[in-house]
Amino acid sequence: MVRIILFLLLIALGAAGAAWIAEQTGDVVLSWGGYRAQTTLPVFMLALGIVIVAAMMLWATLRGLWRTPQRIRRNRRERRQARGRHAITQGLLAIGHGDSTAARIHADAARKHAAHDPLALLLHAQSAQLDGDREGAQRAFRAMAEREDTRLLGLRGLFIEAQRADDPVAAVMLAEEALKLSPSSSWASHAVLGFCCAKGDWGGALKILDNNQSAGLIDKATYRRQRGVLLTARALELEKVDRDLARESVMEAVKLAPTLVPAAVLASKFESEAHQVRRSMRLVETAWLAQPHPDLADAYAHVKLGDSARQRLVRVETLAAKVPGHIEGALAIARAAIDASEFTKAREALAPFIAQPTQRVALLMAEIERTEHGDSGRARAWTLRAVRALHDPAWTADGYVSDRWRPVSPVTGRLDAFQWQTPVAALPSDKASTIESSPFEEAMLATPRRAVVIAPPEAVDEQPAEPAAPVTPETPAAPAAQDNVPPPAAVAEVPPAEAPRPEAATILPTPEAAPPKPAEPVPSQPAPLFRSRQDIPKTVPASIPAVIPLIRAPDDPGIDEDGPADEFAEQLAPPKAQAGGWRGFLSRWGGS
């Protein structure tokens, strides 16, 4: 709209100027040598305007002709750049959806039309990586590293290729060079930090962590936590070498990360050795409220050197009461109660977790049975149950389970990666039950319900042979014994208030022969003493019905066990084929 108004104003001004010139009177005389030209003023102004316009058009034409080669070269260059950018765009899209052939074709076109474009180098390197051509990718990344504008990107690519080739030395060298060029590079600082932690250079790791915090790569809370982890790692390494530096490091670490379990345990140990009992207890209690851990319970129990087992038990009960119902508190109480020979308290502490015990719960129950009653059978049953029990929490990082805390994950090199949790592989599945108790364990852990009297061998030998009674559906026979089961001893069960059977009278020993042995408790179900046979398939149900043998009368002809005759089964050989040709025709003609 503004342009239209300006155009109309210019036209109006031009028209007004032309009208003003036309209204002017007078003549214009031009004398040059022997020539003389005379005209009016309006005609002269019109001729002057035509001359100026013609001169401008001539100048424009000459200038256009002069610049035509340069314009042709520029247009050609622009077309090549447009083709190169189009090839780069299509190549990156092909890499995005995994088409290696199209990516390679577009990379060649981009290198042909836009060889100096950094995106063309990047496309060539990524297409080579997609094809698995490591040498081509390394050449492209080296070319990028030699340029000023793509040096950092080339170093990153070479770093990745060194990691793929399992060359940590070259990878760390590239990361250090990139860190010198750009201190705010997160991948370079992470790589160098992981390398320093891997070789135990905690001082260098602390410097890199300080640089990351000053460069704004991590926030303040993360910086405090990671610095506490590094200081704890240095203190654990120098605990037996330089105790002063170890104490200084761990005290700073526990201030920065008070919930870090290894820092709290080591700081409590140093404070306990310095007879600072209350301060040591406060450190453990702070970490315990955030994450109960067996190392914390052990440090809290031994916070006073020289205490008795009962004093340690009272102290552990106080610590467990701060987080009621937690399994770590129950395990700590059970451990201290066993040491103090308070087996009743140990059983009460583990009672809520016996239904689905973990491995540590089962092992503690086995120790209780062995120590309190000397019952090796029940102890063995609990030990076998611990094999299939739920796993206890452990130090886990990126799927790696460690028996101790580590500052860095050995899988990814991530700092502060280990967490006290149940391993992923030990989590229960919805396909099968986690704990499957065997009949042996149920028999060993069952409460005795009845008593039996075992007859002496002399009475068994003197027992007359009884005829086999027929088995009826009302009195099912006992299940058949396996071939690998030894013959059982003669056992006479004490019947309830019923009429005595004559057979039992012959089995029970007399007072003159031998005094009866006192009743011994046995489980309600017989316990298997041998392993299950391998020839029995696993799909057999748990309860196998007893096999009832059939007893026939002497005059019973029995049942035909061969089964009904089958006319198709009786045919042993295929029927003879009919003869063909004239012989077959004559046989059919004669038969008809």
Side-chain angles (χ1 to χ4, degrees), residues 274-497:
H275 303 287
Q276 300 292 334
V277 178
R278 293 185 177 274
R279 188 179 302 175
S280 176
M281 294 173 65
R282 284 197 301 268
L283 293 176
V284 175
E285 290 172 357
T286 303
W288 178 267
L289 293 175
Q291 177 64 65
H293 193 274
D295 293 345
L296 294 173
D298 184 71
Y300 199 83
H302 296 84
V303 70
K304 287 185 179 180
L305 303 179
D307 282 354
S308 62
R310 295 183 181 274
Q311 291 175 337
R312 292 197 300 269
L313 174 59
V314 174
R315 192 178 300 115
V316 169
E317 290 177 345
T318 305
L319 180 64
K322 297 182 180 298
V323 186
H326 201 279
I327 187 172
E328 292 296 341
L331 292 173
I333 292 176
R335 178 70 269 169
I338 292 174
D339 295 339
S341 299
E342 296 286 344
F343 301 104
T344 303
K345 288 186 177 181
R347 292 180 182 271
E348 292 176 356
L350 297 178
F353 308 99
I354 290 179
Q356 291 186 350
T358 63
Q359 292 181 351
R360 292 166 59 195
V361 171
L363 292 177
L364 285 177
M365 288 299 300
E367 186 176 354
I368 290 173
E369 296 292 348
R370 185 183 300 107
T371 308
E372 183 180 10
H373 301 296
D375 192 344
S376 59
R378 287 178 174 268
R380 190 180 302 109
W382 277 110
T383 305
L384 292 176
R385 195 172 181 181
V387 176
R388 294 188 298 272
L390 294 171
H391 288 260
D392 293 281
W395 289 114
T396 308
D398 301 323
Y400 179 84
V401 181
S402 176
D403 57 345
R404 58 183 179 87
W405 176 84
R406 297 184 181 184
V408 183
S409 171
V411 180
T412 60
R414 184 163 52 96
L415 185 63
D416 191 23
F418 277 91
Q419 301 294 330
W420 181 255
Q421 59 186 1
T422 304
V424 178
L427 294 178
S429 174
D430 56 352
K431 296 182 180 180
S433 177
T434 304
I435 301 178
E436 299 178 357
S437 58
S438 63
F440 176 75
E441 298 172 6
E442 294 179 356
M444 293 302 298
L445 300 177
T447 304
R449 296 181 181 178
R450 61 181 182 178
V452 298
V453 177
I454 302 177
E458 306 83 64
V460 176
D461 296 336
E462 297 175 1
Q463 179 183 357
E466 296 182 2
V471 181
T472 62
E474 291 78 7
T475 59
Q482 295 183 1
D483 54 354
N484 58 352
V485 179
V491 178
E493 182 178 353
V494 178

Side-chain angles (χ1 to χ4, degrees), residues 178-263:
L179 192 61
K180 293 178 182 178
L181 294 176
S182 177
S184 60
S185 179
S186 60
W187 65 270
S189 62
H190 177 75
V192 178
L193 179 62
F195 178 74
C196 292
C197 294
K199 68 178 182 179
D201 185 9
W202 309 116
L206 290 172
K207 291 181 181 179
I208 295 175
L209 188 64
D210 294 338
N211 294 335
N212 293 343
Q213 199 273 337
S214 60
L217 298 179
I218 55 177
D219 54 359
K220 188 175 181 180
T222 306
Y223 167 74
R224 291 174 60 88
R225 174 74 180 188
Q226 292 184 356
R227 183 173 178 83
V229 169
L230 293 176
L231 290 173
T232 302
R234 184 171 69 178
L236 290 174
E237 185 178 350
L238 300 178
E239 180 182 0
K240 298 180 180 179
V241 179
D242 190 350
R243 295 184 62 85
D244 294 336
L245 182 57
R247 177 185 174 85
E248 180 182 354
S249 300
V250 76
M251 296 311 296
E252 183 182 356
V254 81
K255 291 180 181 178
L256 296 174
T259 60
L260 187 61
V261 174

Side-chain angles (χ1 to χ4, degrees), residues 533-549:
R533 297 179 58 177
Q534 300 297 330
D535 56 348
I536 300 178
K538 297 183 179 179
T539 58
V540 177
S543 58
I544 302 177
V547 179
I548 302 177

Side-chain angles (χ1 to χ4, degrees), residues 576-592:
K576 297 182 179 180
Q578 187 176 4
W582 62 272
R583 294 181 181 179
F585 173 77
L586 291 178
S587 62
R588 292 194 297 271
W589 183 68
S592 60

